[in-house]
Amino acid sequence: QVNNDELIWHRDRKDREVKVLDGVDWKLQYDNELPFIMRKDETYSIKAEQYHRILKGKDKLVLEITEK
């Protein structure tokens, strides 16, 4: 289970690709943009040093994260 304190605005040091393996109604939000629902089997790119956060959904979120 994810603690809400972990779902804060943050930046990563490297570019990342995040693929959703499982999860319902979880959202990704980039800085200065509206949040959007992350869909199963979709991959999302997050640039190095780009502020972003994840908003909690209904169940467990499972991701595959690849650093570039």
Side-chain angles (χ1 to χ4, degrees):
Q1 185 170 355
V2 176
N3 185 337
N4 284 336
D5 293 341
E6 295 178 47
L7 302 175
I8 60 171
W9 287 104
H10 68 282
R11 298 182 293 183
D12 300 312
R13 293 181 186 200
K14 296 183 180 180
D15 289 347
R16 290 184 170 184
E17 289 194 353
V18 178
K19 182 176 181 179
V20 179
L21 301 179
D22 202 12
V24 176
D25 290 337
W26 287 79
K27 295 180 181 178
L28 175 61
Q29 183 175 13
Y30 299 115
D31 193 24
N32 294 320
E33 294 186 24
L34 293 173
F36 58 89
I37 293 176
M38 300 171 69
R39 306 223 182 265
K40 186 175 178 180
D41 297 324
E42 291 289 323
T43 300
Y44 303 94
S45 295
I46 301 171
K47 301 257 185 228
E49 302 301 326
Q50 178 183 31
Y51 275 105
H52 62 282
R53 68 178 176 170
I54 293 178
L55 302 168
K56 196 168 186 173
K58 294 182 180 177
D59 58 0
K60 184 177 178 181
L61 179 63
V62 180
L63 302 173
E64 178 180 284
I65 300 172
T66 306
E67 286 189 346
K68 298 292 179 177

